[in-house]
Amino acid sequence: MTGLFRTIIMMMAALMLSTALLVRPAAAQQILRDAETEQLLRDASADIITSAGLRPEDVEIVLIGDDSINAFVAGGQIVYLHSGLITEADNLNQVQGVIAHEVGHITGGHIIRFADGQKQALGITIISLLLGAAAMAAGAGDAGMGIMAAGQRAAMGQFLAFTRAQEASADQAGAKFLGDAGISGKGSLEFFAKLQNQEYRLNIPQEDSYNRTHPLSRERIAALTDVYQASPYWNRPTDAALEARFQRVRAKLLGFVNPERALREFPHGDQSAQAHFARAYAYHRGVRPEASLNEVEALENLLPDNPYVLEMKGQFLLENGRPEEAIPALRRAVQLAPDQPLIATTFGHALVASEERENYAEAKDLLKAAVTRDRKNPFAWFQLGVIYAAEGDEARASLASAERQQMLGQHQLAMVSAKRAMNGIEEGSADWIRAQDIFMTSGHEVQENEKNGKKERRR
């Protein structure tokens, strides 16, 4: 390969890598799951999603463990929120503004159209590379390299302009969805002001946004202020009960991801519910079981018969090796919130961890119902596998392992487990068909990974 063509290929690869880095993959990041948080996000976004012409049950909001202030969509009807966005938000209305913007990306089909922007930019790059190569072949080496470099800059400039247009479109769509849902846009502007302050701290030039994927925050504020202020809902406050739930969720998340900051932000003099949530998780993460349970006791007095407080109590007891003590609190939590599969899974875990065989039948029913409502719960499948193995049903224990392994991306192992399950389950039954589906779909994933040179992680 000549040096000229090597240069051309390297420049094309550089452009493709630059554009690829603009999309944050979700698969490689830690997903945080909490029943109360997921229910709050569903309730807070339902009207926004409906106003966008989508069905709330079809749109998923996923929380990712990342302390940066960010949110994105990456295909399908899934909105990914970083934990840092929640902990840095002052109120629920700010988070609703972000969700509305991301829903704007979904309805605009921006992820699907993302390839169009790449294609246009790559077309400019190829043309400039060919023109530069022709100049270099004619003996004008410096001119040829200049044409190539200018072409790459033009291509990247066009691609960035494309993404900025998508962001501006999502801003306007989000504003419409908020208005149609009867929700104020104040939080949206407040959040852009937060981002603007971050830009100042990072010394991001404020003259223009030419070299950015997003418009500058001041540009977005200027474009949206009149739109939001014209809404009849500009001064409408967030529902007080919903806001109180958000403050509790934010506090517990802060205690989980940043215990030191939580204890600074919620000192002992603060006896609010959110303060007790924050300190409870901070102490639990710091392996101070009695201190964490004292905070839970205070919460039980403030919020009697709250299923999420009872769930937290049971979780803390269970994770401190006291499953028998956890069972009453978790049983009551499930009674109060029967449609929460994450709570049911924790209860099932406590029943299994008690090592009392008479508890296994109840645990099995709970876990089977949980995975029916929430099939993306590998831990529930693990617990089910434990029960099947204890019952001597190795085939269904293998099927449960296959379900869990496929969720975790361990497709080679999933194939082995699914094959073992098929060998022990009556052919043609529902469980046999499910094992066959896992075997075939994981087999396809293994072939694709081998083709692309990817290696599976074994956990």
Side-chain angles (χ1 to χ4, degrees), residues 91-299:
N91 53 61
L92 178 61
N93 191 220
Q94 293 177 2
V95 177
Q96 288 176 312
V98 174
I99 292 172
H101 170 89
E102 298 304 330
V103 172
H105 280 305
I106 293 173
T107 58
H110 291 168
I111 295 300
I112 298 172
R113 294 175 57 203
F114 187 84
D116 295 337
Q118 288 181 310
K119 184 177 179 180
Q120 293 170 14
L122 191 58
I124 294 173
T125 300
I126 292 172
I127 292 171
S128 65
L129 292 177
L130 293 174
L131 291 173
M136 294 171 73
D142 290 344
M145 290 300 293
I147 292 171
M148 290 181 182
Q152 188 178 20
R153 286 195 299 272
M156 184 56 71
Q158 175 158 334
F159 182 78
L160 293 175
F162 177 85
T163 62
R164 287 195 302 274
Q166 286 192 328
E167 292 300 325
S169 171
D171 283 347
Q172 294 297 322
K176 181 180 185 305
F177 300 154
L178 287 173
D180 290 347
I183 298 172
S184 172
K186 281 185 179 180
S188 181
L189 296 181
E190 291 168 0
F191 201 80
F192 283 134
K194 280 181 176 289
L195 295 179
Q196 186 175 27
N197 290 334
Q198 188 177 58
E199 290 168 1
Y200 289 141
R201 289 196 302 271
L202 296 175
N203 293 318
I204 294 175
Q206 297 290 303
E207 289 76 19
D208 63 68
S209 53
Y210 177 76
N211 289 318
R212 289 168 52 86
T213 58
H214 291 55
L216 288 166
S217 296
R218 65 173 175 79
E219 296 171 343
R220 303 171 86 169
I221 292 171
L224 290 169
T225 297
D226 289 344
V227 176
Y228 280 132
Q229 289 183 345
S231 168
Y233 307 109
W234 170 250
N235 288 313
R236 172 179 282 185
T238 304
D239 176 77
L242 207 57
E243 180 63 32
R245 289 169 59 192
F246 169 75
Q247 294 300 334
R248 295 198 295 267
V249 161
R250 177 191 171 276
K252 72 154 70 170
L253 179 61
L254 185 61
F256 181 82
V257 300
N258 194 335
E260 294 82 6
R261 178 183 163 190
L263 293 176
R264 290 195 305 270
E265 188 170 324
F266 296 99
H268 281 282
D270 188 342
Q271 295 299 306
S272 63
Q274 57 262 38
H276 288 299
F277 267 111
R279 292 196 296 266
Y281 270 94
Y283 290 142
H284 183 64
R285 296 282 282 178
V287 196
R288 298 175 59 185
E290 294 309 316
S292 64
L293 289 170
N294 286 339
E295 297 293 342
V296 173
E297 184 178 350
L299 276 170

Side-chain angles (χ1 to χ4, degrees), residues 375-378 381 402-410:
R375 298 193 70 86
K376 297 180 181 179
N377 188 341
W381 284 110
E403 294 275 12
R404 180 176 62 87
Q405 289 155 353
Q406 188 175 65
M407 287 180 199
L408 297 174
Q410 299 170 344

Side-chain angles (χ1 to χ4, degrees), residues 388 392-399 416-433 435-436:
Y388 285 130
D393 190 346
E394 295 297 336
R396 284 176 177 77
S398 293
L399 178 56
V416 174
S417 296
K419 185 67 174 176
R420 188 182 301 121
M422 291 167 65
N423 290 335
I425 297 174
E426 181 183 356
E427 185 173 346
S429 66
D431 285 344
W432 186 91
I433 292 171
Q436 184 185 54

Side-chain angles (χ1 to χ4, degrees), residues 32-44 61 63 86 92 241-253 273-274 277-278 281 299 303 306-312 315 337 339-343 346:
L32 304 179
R33 301 207 60 191
D34 172 71
E36 183 177 19
T37 301
E38 291 180 4
Q39 188 62 56
L40 170 71
L41 293 174
R42 283 193 292 269
D43 293 345
I61 301 179
L63 187 63
I86 302 293
L92 178 61
L242 207 57
E243 180 63 32
R245 289 169 59 192
F246 169 75
Q247 294 300 334
R248 295 198 295 267
V249 161
R250 177 191 171 276
K252 72 154 70 170
L253 179 61
Q274 57 262 38
F277 267 111
Y281 270 94
L299 276 170
L303 303 170
N306 182 294
Y308 305 113
V309 173
L310 291 165
E311 176 201 24
M312 183 169 61
Q315 175 195 343
D339 296 325
Q340 291 291 348
L342 290 177
I343 299 179
T346 304

Side-chain angles (χ1 to χ4, degrees), residues 313-388:
K313 179 179 183 178
Q315 175 195 343
F316 289 178
L317 289 167
L318 176 59
E319 292 178 1
N320 281 291
R322 298 155 66 178
E324 294 85 357
E325 296 175 60
I327 288 173
L330 290 169
R331 177 173 279 113
R332 181 60 178 153
V334 168
Q335 291 170 349
L336 292 166
D339 296 325
Q340 291 291 348
L342 290 177
I343 299 179
T345 297
T346 304
F347 183 26
H349 179 200
L351 291 168
V352 172
S354 71
E355 298 183 352
E356 297 290 342
R357 292 296 295 268
E358 59 267 26
N359 287 335
Y360 280 20
E362 183 180 8
K364 184 177 177 180
D365 290 341
L366 279 165
L367 293 166
K368 287 175 71 174
V371 297
T372 299
R373 295 193 191 100
D374 177 10
R375 298 193 70 86
K376 297 180 181 179
N377 188 341
F379 187 68
W381 284 110
F382 175 78
Q383 293 297 318
L384 261 180
V386 170
I387 295 173
Y388 285 130

